[in-house]
Every structure is written in C-alpha cells, then in structure tokens.
Amino acid sequence: MFETPDSSLYPLHCCKTLHMVRAFYDRTKLAQASKCECKFDMLSSVLGSKVDILRKQVAIIGIASRVELVVTSPLTRAMQTAVGVFGGGDYNDSDSSPPLMVAGAGKSDRAAISSSKCPPFLTMELCREHMGPHSCEQRKSISECQTLFPAIDFSLVETDEDVLWKPNTREKEYDIAACGVAFLNWLLTRMEKEIVVVSHKGFLKHTMALFGKDCHPLVRNEIRKEFKNCELRSFVVSHRSAIGTSVLVTNFSRYIPPVPDVPNHDDGEKNMENEQTYLQNNQNPPKKNKNKTKRRNTLAGRRLTSDESQRPLEIFQLCNADAQP
C-alpha cells in the first residue's frame, strides 16, 4: 500500500495567490504616539527608502504587473505603503482619474501618486492593526482619509468615525485571529486570483499563527515568523469547500478524440492518420441528454438558493484556535 503523500493537491480555480505586506512605520513617530503625544493614526512624514526598495523589487520580479487587487488597512500608514509600492507613477494635472494620494500627504515630501496603470485599491476594517490604548491605533475619519487618498475605495468601511477603537482597552488575541479568518474567507469570495494585502505586525502575527500545523517545522516557521518593517511574503491559499466564484478557464475535457497517445516519434504519423479518420467519421459532437441537463440545472439552482451557500468557506490548513503550535 502506498503511503499518504506529504503534498496537497487542489484545483487551480480554488486557489489564490496572496502577497502579504507589513505596512511601513516610522519608529520615532509611533514612539511619540505611544506616549499619547500625538492623536490618531500617524502619517509617516516620509514613506522611507524601504518602500522605494520594495517598489523596485515587485517591478523586477513581475508581481506588480500581475496583481489584480490591493486591499489595505484603513490606517493611513498602511495606505501610504500600499500606494507607494503598488500605485501608478507621478500624478499630473492631465490625468483624467483622481490621484491615489495627494501631494505632500502627512507633511511628506512625496509628489501625488497616480491611479492609472495600477490595480484597484480598497480598504477593509478586518485587516487593521491590533487595537489597544495607544492613539496611533485609532484611524482617522473616512472623510479625512478620502481627501488624502481620493482614488482608494472606502465603501466597505461602514462608519465615518472610528467606532471600533476604545481607549484603555486592549483587543484580545483570539479576536484578532477571528478577524483574520473572516478576512481570508472574504478574500476567497473575490473573483481576483492574485491579491496584495497591506496590514500590520499584530494582525499578520495572529492570523499567520493559524496556519502550518501540519507542515514541516521549517515551513511552519516561515509562515509564522514575525514580519519585518515593510516586508512582503507570498502565499497560496485554497479552500476545500465546493463553493467558489472562480470560473474554470484552464480545464478542458470535452470532445477529445479517443485516439492513442503518441509514445514516440515513430508512431506520430500513424497516430495522426487515426485522428483524422476519427474526425471524418464524427463530424457532429455527441448530443446532450436533455433530462440529465435539466436535472443538473435544477440541483445547481437548489444549491445556490440553500442556506448552505451562506456558510463560511473553509481555509486551507486552518488550525483550531486552541491548537498547539
């Protein structure tokens, strides 16, 4: 009897590529905010050389050209990182679309960043930083953020003011992990196949800790190790549920002529003759079984309208909250 393989196999349409990025932060400004000398989430006065280096790297290795969506935390330092790395070039007045970030945002020396020739950007509360008593973990109002980042989509943020942040209250770790699961479930419902997520140290730490239980320690440590400042890591995520939104675009199995495979070059000419003979004798494709098609459509409609279609998607390699690392 064969042993169970150490690898896992999933259909391509059930998988997504996620590029997880830890937002750039200014140590000096965050230290000031932790002493309550500053109010609200801190804008970095300079995006920093780390953002410039990461932007060049994603362009060289081709990530920038493949990304279909950028999802960012609504904290301003995360949005700065997102547009600095994956945004368009310098914005000019001739552009028909609004800029991703206005010039001098947060008293920085940065020019406005264009929203052309780049993927769409949107914000999600689920991937914001671990909330605590420090004012740097409280986001600005959405109306204020929209003036600084006009082309970012804030429609998924429900309230203008930050009603989630509570002074003198530290968010529990299992609450962050629950947000991470809900966030990944939401990502799996998106049509995009390659997505960038720009978040923060605390959120990434507690979310990634849910994965890798059944992996080799080297792989598990790579998944769970702490993200450095402005670090990017790429992962593939999949769900084992039958529910999915992606269309099968690479699979093909219908009307393939049942001719033998060519084992070597010598049999190629004979195999081609067999294939031509088959095609001549079978000009019309086989007729569909109407009863079978009707039954299949009925079952599909019933599945889509059932309560089961609303259940959360399963996450590949998701561990129980009480699992030991």
Side-chain angles (χ1 to χ4, degrees), residues 232-266:
L232 178 148
R233 285 188 230 154
S234 300
F235 302 91
V236 174
V237 62
S238 176
H239 61 83
R240 293 187 285 259
S241 172
I243 301 175
T245 57
S246 300
V247 180
L248 297 174
V249 294
T250 58
N251 294 4
F252 182 80
S253 60
R254 301 185 65 184
Y255 309 138
I256 298 179
V259 294
D261 292 336
V262 182
N264 53 51
H265 180 72
D266 296 336

PDB file of all heavy atoms in Angstrom, residues 232-266:
ATOM      1  N   LEU A 232       7.484  41.897   2.447  1.00  0.00           N
ATOM      2  CA  LEU A 232       6.471  41.213   1.632  1.00  0.00           C
ATOM      3  C   LEU A 232       6.773  39.726   1.609  1.00  0.00           C
ATOM      4  O   LEU A 232       7.914  39.317   1.420  1.00  0.00           O
ATOM      5  CB  LEU A 232       6.464  41.769   0.207  1.00  0.00           C
ATOM      6  CG  LEU A 232       5.482  41.128  -0.791  1.00  0.00           C
ATOM      7  CD1 LEU A 232       5.000  42.166  -1.809  1.00  0.00           C
ATOM      8  CD2 LEU A 232       6.089  39.945  -1.550  1.00  0.00           C
ATOM      9  N   ARG A 233       5.731  38.922   1.809  1.00  0.00           N
ATOM     10  CA  ARG A 233       5.821  37.467   1.647  1.00  0.00           C
ATOM     11  C   ARG A 233       4.624  36.990   0.841  1.00  0.00           C
ATOM     12  O   ARG A 233       3.513  37.499   1.014  1.00  0.00           O
ATOM     13  CB  ARG A 233       5.830  36.747   2.988  1.00  0.00           C
ATOM     14  CG  ARG A 233       7.138  36.836   3.739  1.00  0.00           C
ATOM     15  CD  ARG A 233       7.125  35.932   4.959  1.00  0.00           C
ATOM     16  NE  ARG A 233       7.543  36.655   6.142  1.00  0.00           N
ATOM     17  CZ  ARG A 233       7.193  36.338   7.372  1.00  0.00           C
ATOM     18  NH1 ARG A 233       6.391  35.304   7.577  1.00  0.00           N
ATOM     19  NH2 ARG A 233       7.615  37.031   8.403  1.00  0.00           N
ATOM     20  N   SER A 234       4.849  35.991  -0.007  1.00  0.00           N
ATOM     21  CA  SER A 234       3.798  35.492  -0.893  1.00  0.00           C
ATOM     22  C   SER A 234       3.353  34.098  -0.470  1.00  0.00           C
ATOM     23  O   SER A 234       4.179  33.256  -0.104  1.00  0.00           O
ATOM     24  CB  SER A 234       4.302  35.458  -2.343  1.00  0.00           C
ATOM     25  OG  SER A 234       4.678  36.755  -2.775  1.00  0.00           O
ATOM     26  N   PHE A 235       2.033  33.858  -0.537  1.00  0.00           N
ATOM     27  CA  PHE A 235       1.436  32.588  -0.141  1.00  0.00           C
ATOM     28  C   PHE A 235       0.370  32.188  -1.151  1.00  0.00           C
ATOM     29  O   PHE A 235      -0.145  33.016  -1.894  1.00  0.00           O
ATOM     30  CB  PHE A 235       0.786  32.700   1.248  1.00  0.00           C
ATOM     31  CG  PHE A 235       1.718  33.117   2.348  1.00  0.00           C
ATOM     32  CD1 PHE A 235       1.874  34.461   2.665  1.00  0.00           C
ATOM     33  CD2 PHE A 235       2.441  32.184   3.060  1.00  0.00           C
ATOM     34  CE1 PHE A 235       2.728  34.859   3.670  1.00  0.00           C
ATOM     35  CE2 PHE A 235       3.307  32.566   4.076  1.00  0.00           C
ATOM     36  CZ  PHE A 235       3.453  33.914   4.384  1.00  0.00           C
ATOM     37  N   VAL A 236       0.047  30.898  -1.139  1.00  0.00           N
ATOM     38  CA  VAL A 236      -1.093  30.390  -1.890  1.00  0.00           C
ATOM     39  C   VAL A 236      -2.118  29.897  -0.890  1.00  0.00           C
ATOM     40  O   VAL A 236      -1.794  29.108  -0.003  1.00  0.00           O
ATOM     41  CB  VAL A 236      -0.688  29.242  -2.842  1.00  0.00           C
ATOM     42  CG1 VAL A 236      -1.924  28.643  -3.496  1.00  0.00           C
ATOM     43  CG2 VAL A 236       0.279  29.745  -3.902  1.00  0.00           C
ATOM     44  N   VAL A 237      -3.346  30.357  -1.015  1.00  0.00           N
ATOM     45  CA  VAL A 237      -4.420  29.951  -0.107  1.00  0.00           C
ATOM     46  C   VAL A 237      -5.491  29.251  -0.927  1.00  0.00           C
ATOM     47  O   VAL A 237      -5.753  29.606  -2.077  1.00  0.00           O
ATOM     48  CB  VAL A 237      -5.011  31.170   0.650  1.00  0.00           C
ATOM     49  CG1 VAL A 237      -5.638  32.160  -0.287  1.00  0.00           C
ATOM     50  CG2 VAL A 237      -6.017  30.712   1.700  1.00  0.00           C
ATOM     51  N   SER A 238      -6.092  28.219  -0.333  1.00  0.00           N
ATOM     52  CA  SER A 238      -7.120  27.449  -1.021  1.00  0.00           C
ATOM     53  C   SER A 238      -8.194  27.063  -0.024  1.00  0.00           C
ATOM     54  O   SER A 238      -7.962  27.055   1.189  1.00  0.00           O
ATOM     55  CB  SER A 238      -6.519  26.184  -1.654  1.00  0.00           C
ATOM     56  OG  SER A 238      -7.527  25.396  -2.249  1.00  0.00           O
ATOM     57  N   HIS A 239      -9.382  26.755  -0.534  1.00  0.00           N
ATOM     58  CA  HIS A 239     -10.458  26.267   0.320  1.00  0.00           C
ATOM     59  C   HIS A 239     -10.916  24.907  -0.181  1.00  0.00           C
ATOM     60  O   HIS A 239     -10.882  24.624  -1.379  1.00  0.00           O
ATOM     61  CB  HIS A 239     -11.635  27.251   0.358  1.00  0.00           C
ATOM     62  CG  HIS A 239     -12.279  27.501  -0.971  1.00  0.00           C
ATOM     63  ND1 HIS A 239     -13.222  26.678  -1.527  1.00  0.00           N
ATOM     64  CD2 HIS A 239     -12.097  28.489  -1.857  1.00  0.00           C
ATOM     65  CE1 HIS A 239     -13.593  27.154  -2.688  1.00  0.00           C
ATOM     66  NE2 HIS A 239     -12.930  28.248  -2.921  1.00  0.00           N
ATOM     67  N   ARG A 240     -11.354  24.055   0.726  1.00  0.00           N
ATOM     68  CA  ARG A 240     -11.783  22.710   0.369  1.00  0.00           C
ATOM     69  C   ARG A 240     -13.283  22.639   0.134  1.00  0.00           C
ATOM     70  O   ARG A 240     -13.823  21.575  -0.118  1.00  0.00           O
ATOM     71  CB  ARG A 240     -11.376  21.738   1.472  1.00  0.00           C
ATOM     72  CG  ARG A 240      -9.873  21.546   1.602  1.00  0.00           C
ATOM     73  CD  ARG A 240      -9.547  20.443   2.589  1.00  0.00           C
ATOM     74  NE  ARG A 240      -9.759  20.891   3.955  1.00  0.00           N
ATOM     75  CZ  ARG A 240      -8.780  21.279   4.770  1.00  0.00           C
ATOM     76  NH1 ARG A 240      -7.542  21.300   4.328  1.00  0.00           N
ATOM     77  NH2 ARG A 240      -9.043  21.663   6.004  1.00  0.00           N
ATOM     78  N   SER A 241     -13.964  23.763   0.220  1.00  0.00           N
ATOM     79  CA  SER A 241     -15.409  23.783   0.033  1.00  0.00           C
ATOM     80  C   SER A 241     -15.753  23.714  -1.444  1.00  0.00           C
ATOM     81  O   SER A 241     -14.977  24.106  -2.312  1.00  0.00           O
ATOM     82  CB  SER A 241     -15.996  25.058   0.646  1.00  0.00           C
ATOM     83  OG  SER A 241     -17.351  25.185   0.311  1.00  0.00           O
ATOM     84  N   ALA A 242     -16.949  23.225  -1.750  1.00  0.00           N
ATOM     85  CA  ALA A 242     -17.425  23.186  -3.132  1.00  0.00           C
ATOM     86  C   ALA A 242     -17.901  24.547  -3.592  1.00  0.00           C
ATOM     87  O   ALA A 242     -18.171  24.746  -4.769  1.00  0.00           O
ATOM     88  CB  ALA A 242     -18.562  22.172  -3.265  1.00  0.00           C
ATOM     89  N   ILE A 243     -18.020  25.506  -2.677  1.00  0.00           N
ATOM     90  CA  ILE A 243     -18.472  26.842  -3.035  1.00  0.00           C
ATOM     91  C   ILE A 243     -17.293  27.625  -3.567  1.00  0.00           C
ATOM     92  O   ILE A 243     -16.242  27.687  -2.964  1.00  0.00           O
ATOM     93  CB  ILE A 243     -19.061  27.557  -1.812  1.00  0.00           C
ATOM     94  CG1 ILE A 243     -20.238  26.755  -1.253  1.00  0.00           C
ATOM     95  CG2 ILE A 243     -19.517  28.970  -2.168  1.00  0.00           C
ATOM     96  CD1 ILE A 243     -20.793  27.319   0.023  1.00  0.00           C
ATOM     97  N   GLY A 244     -17.464  28.252  -4.714  1.00  0.00           N
ATOM     98  CA  GLY A 244     -16.406  29.049  -5.294  1.00  0.00           C
ATOM     99  C   GLY A 244     -16.957  30.033  -6.295  1.00  0.00           C
ATOM    100  O   GLY A 244     -18.059  29.877  -6.805  1.00  0.00           O
ATOM    101  N   THR A 245     -16.186  31.071  -6.581  1.00  0.00           N
ATOM    102  CA  THR A 245     -16.640  32.086  -7.515  1.00  0.00           C
ATOM    103  C   THR A 245     -15.833  32.089  -8.803  1.00  0.00           C
ATOM    104  O   THR A 245     -16.213  32.741  -9.751  1.00  0.00           O
ATOM    105  CB  THR A 245     -16.528  33.473  -6.867  1.00  0.00           C
ATOM    106  OG1 THR A 245     -15.177  33.691  -6.453  1.00  0.00           O
ATOM    107  CG2 THR A 245     -17.440  33.591  -5.657  1.00  0.00           C
ATOM    108  N   SER A 246     -14.718  31.371  -8.821  1.00  0.00           N
ATOM    109  CA  SER A 246     -13.861  31.405  -9.993  1.00  0.00           C
ATOM    110  C   SER A 246     -14.402  30.514 -11.100  1.00  0.00           C
ATOM    111  O   SER A 246     -14.977  29.455 -10.848  1.00  0.00           O
ATOM    112  CB  SER A 246     -12.437  30.961  -9.621  1.00  0.00           C
ATOM    113  OG  SER A 246     -11.907  31.830  -8.645  1.00  0.00           O
ATOM    114  N   VAL A 247     -14.203  30.949 -12.325  1.00  0.00           N
ATOM    115  CA  VAL A 247     -14.652  30.195 -13.487  1.00  0.00           C
ATOM    116  C   VAL A 247     -13.535  29.268 -13.931  1.00  0.00           C
ATOM    117  O   VAL A 247     -12.357  29.627 -13.901  1.00  0.00           O
ATOM    118  CB  VAL A 247     -15.033  31.155 -14.629  1.00  0.00           C
ATOM    119  CG1 VAL A 247     -15.497  30.380 -15.855  1.00  0.00           C
ATOM    120  CG2 VAL A 247     -16.121  32.107 -14.167  1.00  0.00           C
ATOM    121  N   LEU A 248     -13.907  28.058 -14.351  1.00  0.00           N
ATOM    122  CA  LEU A 248     -12.912  27.110 -14.854  1.00  0.00           C
ATOM    123  C   LEU A 248     -12.452  27.574 -16.237  1.00  0.00           C
ATOM    124  O   LEU A 248     -13.164  27.429 -17.226  1.00  0.00           O
ATOM    125  CB  LEU A 248     -13.518  25.715 -14.944  1.00  0.00           C
ATOM    126  CG  LEU A 248     -13.966  25.076 -13.619  1.00  0.00           C
ATOM    127  CD1 LEU A 248     -14.686  23.766 -13.879  1.00  0.00           C
ATOM    128  CD2 LEU A 248     -12.776  24.853 -12.722  1.00  0.00           C
ATOM    129  N   VAL A 249     -11.258  28.123 -16.307  1.00  0.00           N
ATOM    130  CA  VAL A 249     -10.767  28.648 -17.576  1.00  0.00           C
ATOM    131  C   VAL A 249      -9.621  27.815 -18.151  1.00  0.00           C
ATOM    132  O   VAL A 249      -9.286  27.959 -19.324  1.00  0.00           O
ATOM    133  CB  VAL A 249     -10.298  30.107 -17.409  1.00  0.00           C
ATOM    134  CG1 VAL A 249     -11.465  31.006 -17.083  1.00  0.00           C
ATOM    135  CG2 VAL A 249      -9.229  30.220 -16.346  1.00  0.00           C
ATOM    136  N   THR A 250      -9.022  26.944 -17.354  1.00  0.00           N
ATOM    137  CA  THR A 250      -7.899  26.146 -17.841  1.00  0.00           C
ATOM    138  C   THR A 250      -8.253  24.685 -18.060  1.00  0.00           C
ATOM    139  O   THR A 250      -7.561  23.993 -18.810  1.00  0.00           O
ATOM    140  CB  THR A 250      -6.715  26.227 -16.860  1.00  0.00           C
ATOM    141  OG1 THR A 250      -7.148  25.767 -15.566  1.00  0.00           O
ATOM    142  CG2 THR A 250      -6.220  27.655 -16.731  1.00  0.00           C
ATOM    143  N   ASN A 251      -9.297  24.185 -17.422  1.00  0.00           N
ATOM    144  CA  ASN A 251      -9.676  22.784 -17.582  1.00  0.00           C
ATOM    145  C   ASN A 251     -10.408  22.579 -18.904  1.00  0.00           C
ATOM    146  O   ASN A 251     -11.257  23.379 -19.290  1.00  0.00           O
ATOM    147  CB  ASN A 251     -10.575  22.326 -16.436  1.00  0.00           C
ATOM    148  CG  ASN A 251      -9.851  22.310 -15.108  1.00  0.00           C
ATOM    149  OD1 ASN A 251      -8.701  22.708 -15.030  1.00  0.00           O
ATOM    150  ND2 ASN A 251     -10.521  21.857 -14.069  1.00  0.00           N
ATOM    151  N   PHE A 252     -10.112  21.477 -19.600  1.00  0.00           N
ATOM    152  CA  PHE A 252     -10.802  21.138 -20.837  1.00  0.00           C
ATOM    153  C   PHE A 252     -10.816  19.623 -20.968  1.00  0.00           C
ATOM    154  O   PHE A 252      -9.783  18.972 -20.947  1.00  0.00           O
ATOM    155  CB  PHE A 252     -10.100  21.754 -22.052  1.00  0.00           C
ATOM    156  CG  PHE A 252     -10.815  21.467 -23.349  1.00  0.00           C
ATOM    157  CD1 PHE A 252     -11.936  22.209 -23.717  1.00  0.00           C
ATOM    158  CD2 PHE A 252     -10.399  20.442 -24.177  1.00  0.00           C
ATOM    159  CE1 PHE A 252     -12.607  21.941 -24.897  1.00  0.00           C
ATOM    160  CE2 PHE A 252     -11.069  20.167 -25.351  1.00  0.00           C
ATOM    161  CZ  PHE A 252     -12.175  20.913 -25.719  1.00  0.00           C
ATOM    162  N   SER A 253     -12.014  19.044 -21.128  1.00  0.00           N
ATOM    163  CA  SER A 253     -12.089  17.589 -21.207  1.00  0.00           C
ATOM    164  C   SER A 253     -13.132  17.095 -22.198  1.00  0.00           C
ATOM    165  O   SER A 253     -13.291  15.891 -22.367  1.00  0.00           O
ATOM    166  CB  SER A 253     -12.425  17.011 -19.814  1.00  0.00           C
ATOM    167  OG  SER A 253     -13.665  17.514 -19.362  1.00  0.00           O
ATOM    168  N   ARG A 254     -13.866  17.989 -22.882  1.00  0.00           N
ATOM    169  CA  ARG A 254     -14.965  17.539 -23.742  1.00  0.00           C
ATOM    170  C   ARG A 254     -14.512  17.382 -25.192  1.00  0.00           C
ATOM    171  O   ARG A 254     -13.697  18.142 -25.715  1.00  0.00           O
ATOM    172  CB  ARG A 254     -16.112  18.547 -23.673  1.00  0.00           C
ATOM    173  CG  ARG A 254     -16.659  18.753 -22.266  1.00  0.00           C
ATOM    174  CD  ARG A 254     -17.864  19.650 -22.279  1.00  0.00           C
ATOM    175  NE  ARG A 254     -18.980  19.044 -22.989  1.00  0.00           N
ATOM    176  CZ  ARG A 254     -20.127  19.659 -23.215  1.00  0.00           C
ATOM    177  NH1 ARG A 254     -20.306  20.898 -22.803  1.00  0.00           N
ATOM    178  NH2 ARG A 254     -21.106  19.057 -23.859  1.00  0.00           N
ATOM    179  N   TYR A 255     -15.083  16.365 -25.853  1.00  0.00           N
ATOM    180  CA  TYR A 255     -14.875  16.109 -27.285  1.00  0.00           C
ATOM    181  C   TYR A 255     -13.416  15.839 -27.630  1.00  0.00           C
ATOM    182  O   TYR A 255     -12.937  16.210 -28.677  1.00  0.00           O
ATOM    183  CB  TYR A 255     -15.385  17.279 -28.133  1.00  0.00           C
ATOM    184  CG  TYR A 255     -16.787  17.686 -27.809  1.00  0.00           C
ATOM    185  CD1 TYR A 255     -17.140  19.017 -27.722  1.00  0.00           C
ATOM    186  CD2 TYR A 255     -17.769  16.724 -27.555  1.00  0.00           C
ATOM    187  CE1 TYR A 255     -18.444  19.388 -27.404  1.00  0.00           C
ATOM    188  CE2 TYR A 255     -19.058  17.083 -27.238  1.00  0.00           C
ATOM    189  CZ  TYR A 255     -19.399  18.421 -27.169  1.00  0.00           C
ATOM    190  OH  TYR A 255     -20.664  18.781 -26.846  1.00  0.00           O
ATOM    191  N   ILE A 256     -12.668  15.231 -26.724  1.00  0.00           N
ATOM    192  CA  ILE A 256     -11.296  14.853 -27.040  1.00  0.00           C
ATOM    193  C   ILE A 256     -11.329  13.518 -27.759  1.00  0.00           C
ATOM    194  O   ILE A 256     -11.850  12.538 -27.244  1.00  0.00           O
ATOM    195  CB  ILE A 256     -10.438  14.744 -25.765  1.00  0.00           C
ATOM    196  CG1 ILE A 256     -10.382  16.111 -25.078  1.00  0.00           C
ATOM    197  CG2 ILE A 256      -9.039  14.251 -26.090  1.00  0.00           C
ATOM    198  CD1 ILE A 256      -9.594  16.117 -23.798  1.00  0.00           C
ATOM    199  N   PRO A 257     -10.795  13.422 -28.978  1.00  0.00           N
ATOM    200  CA  PRO A 257     -10.834  12.162 -29.735  1.00  0.00           C
ATOM    201  C   PRO A 257     -10.150  11.040 -28.974  1.00  0.00           C
ATOM    202  O   PRO A 257      -9.048  11.228 -28.443  1.00  0.00           O
ATOM    203  CB  PRO A 257     -10.077  12.506 -31.016  1.00  0.00           C
ATOM    204  CG  PRO A 257     -10.158  13.992 -31.131  1.00  0.00           C
ATOM    205  CD  PRO A 257     -10.155  14.506 -29.729  1.00  0.00           C
ATOM    206  N   PRO A 258     -10.785   9.872 -28.877  1.00  0.00           N
ATOM    207  CA  PRO A 258     -10.193   8.754 -28.126  1.00  0.00           C
ATOM    208  C   PRO A 258      -9.140   8.019 -28.930  1.00  0.00           C
ATOM    209  O   PRO A 258      -9.259   6.840 -29.221  1.00  0.00           O
ATOM    210  CB  PRO A 258     -11.407   7.860 -27.842  1.00  0.00           C
ATOM    211  CG  PRO A 258     -12.303   8.091 -29.008  1.00  0.00           C
ATOM    212  CD  PRO A 258     -12.142   9.543 -29.385  1.00  0.00           C
ATOM    213  N   VAL A 259      -8.104   8.707 -29.367  1.00  0.00           N
ATOM    214  CA  VAL A 259      -7.012   8.092 -30.108  1.00  0.00           C
ATOM    215  C   VAL A 259      -5.856   7.857 -29.150  1.00  0.00           C
ATOM    216  O   VAL A 259      -5.722   8.551 -28.141  1.00  0.00           O
ATOM    217  CB  VAL A 259      -6.557   8.999 -31.272  1.00  0.00           C
ATOM    218  CG1 VAL A 259      -7.665   9.117 -32.308  1.00  0.00           C
ATOM    219  CG2 VAL A 259      -6.155  10.367 -30.773  1.00  0.00           C
ATOM    220  N   PRO A 260      -5.033   6.868 -29.427  1.00  0.00           N
ATOM    221  CA  PRO A 260      -3.933   6.576 -28.502  1.00  0.00           C
ATOM    222  C   PRO A 260      -2.910   7.701 -28.457  1.00  0.00           C
ATOM    223  O   PRO A 260      -2.705   8.408 -29.437  1.00  0.00           O
ATOM    224  CB  PRO A 260      -3.324   5.284 -29.070  1.00  0.00           C
ATOM    225  CG  PRO A 260      -3.705   5.296 -30.510  1.00  0.00           C
ATOM    226  CD  PRO A 260      -5.060   5.932 -30.576  1.00  0.00           C
ATOM    227  N   ASP A 261      -2.290   7.881 -27.281  1.00  0.00           N
ATOM    228  CA  ASP A 261      -1.208   8.849 -27.169  1.00  0.00           C
ATOM    229  C   ASP A 261      -0.016   8.406 -27.991  1.00  0.00           C
ATOM    230  O   ASP A 261       0.182   7.211 -28.253  1.00  0.00           O
ATOM    231  CB  ASP A 261      -0.769   8.990 -25.708  1.00  0.00           C
ATOM    232  CG  ASP A 261      -1.845   9.642 -24.860  1.00  0.00           C
ATOM    233  OD1 ASP A 261      -2.672  10.373 -25.451  1.00  0.00           O
ATOM    234  OD2 ASP A 261      -1.855   9.419 -23.643  1.00  0.00           O
ATOM    235  N   VAL A 262       0.779   9.339 -28.410  1.00  0.00           N
ATOM    236  CA  VAL A 262       1.972   9.029 -29.209  1.00  0.00           C
ATOM    237  C   VAL A 262       3.105   8.662 -28.268  1.00  0.00           C
ATOM    238  O   VAL A 262       3.610   9.514 -27.545  1.00  0.00           O
ATOM    239  CB  VAL A 262       2.374  10.236 -30.074  1.00  0.00           C
ATOM    240  CG1 VAL A 262       3.577   9.896 -30.927  1.00  0.00           C
ATOM    241  CG2 VAL A 262       1.204  10.670 -30.945  1.00  0.00           C
ATOM    242  N   PRO A 263       3.542   7.399 -28.254  1.00  0.00           N
ATOM    243  CA  PRO A 263       4.601   7.022 -27.328  1.00  0.00           C
ATOM    244  C   PRO A 263       5.973   7.500 -27.764  1.00  0.00           C
ATOM    245  O   PRO A 263       6.835   7.732 -26.950  1.00  0.00           O
ATOM    246  CB  PRO A 263       4.534   5.490 -27.304  1.00  0.00           C
ATOM    247  CG  PRO A 263       3.936   5.131 -28.630  1.00  0.00           C
ATOM    248  CD  PRO A 263       2.980   6.243 -28.970  1.00  0.00           C
ATOM    249  N   ASN A 264       6.184   7.615 -29.079  1.00  0.00           N
ATOM    250  CA  ASN A 264       7.468   8.083 -29.559  1.00  0.00           C
ATOM    251  C   ASN A 264       7.297   8.696 -30.944  1.00  0.00           C
ATOM    252  O   ASN A 264       6.214   8.705 -31.521  1.00  0.00           O
ATOM    253  CB  ASN A 264       8.503   6.940 -29.597  1.00  0.00           C
ATOM    254  CG  ASN A 264       7.977   5.750 -30.379  1.00  0.00           C
ATOM    255  OD1 ASN A 264       7.517   5.891 -31.510  1.00  0.00           O
ATOM    256  ND2 ASN A 264       8.035   4.575 -29.763  1.00  0.00           N
ATOM    257  N   HIS A 265       8.371   9.187 -31.496  1.00  0.00           N
ATOM    258  CA  HIS A 265       8.319   9.897 -32.776  1.00  0.00           C
ATOM    259  C   HIS A 265       7.904   8.980 -33.923  1.00  0.00           C
ATOM    260  O   HIS A 265       7.229   9.415 -34.862  1.00  0.00           O
ATOM    261  CB  HIS A 265       9.691  10.524 -33.065  1.00  0.00           C
ATOM    262  CG  HIS A 265       9.729  11.269 -34.371  1.00  0.00           C
ATOM    263  ND1 HIS A 265       9.095  12.480 -34.553  1.00  0.00           N
ATOM    264  CD2 HIS A 265      10.301  10.957 -35.560  1.00  0.00           C
ATOM    265  CE1 HIS A 265       9.285  12.896 -35.801  1.00  0.00           C
ATOM    266  NE2 HIS A 265      10.022  11.994 -36.425  1.00  0.00           N
ATOM    267  N   ASP A 266       8.262   7.705 -33.890  1.00  0.00           N
ATOM    268  CA  ASP A 266       7.979   6.791 -34.998  1.00  0.00           C
ATOM    269  C   ASP A 266       6.488   6.558 -35.182  1.00  0.00           C
ATOM    270  O   ASP A 266       6.017   6.302 -36.293  1.00  0.00           O
ATOM    271  CB  ASP A 266       8.675   5.443 -34.760  1.00  0.00           C
ATOM    272  CG  ASP A 266      10.187   5.600 -34.764  1.00  0.00           C
ATOM    273  OD1 ASP A 266      10.685   6.575 -35.381  1.00  0.00           O
ATOM    274  OD2 ASP A 266      10.856   4.763 -34.137  1.00  0.00           O
TER     275      ASP A 266
END
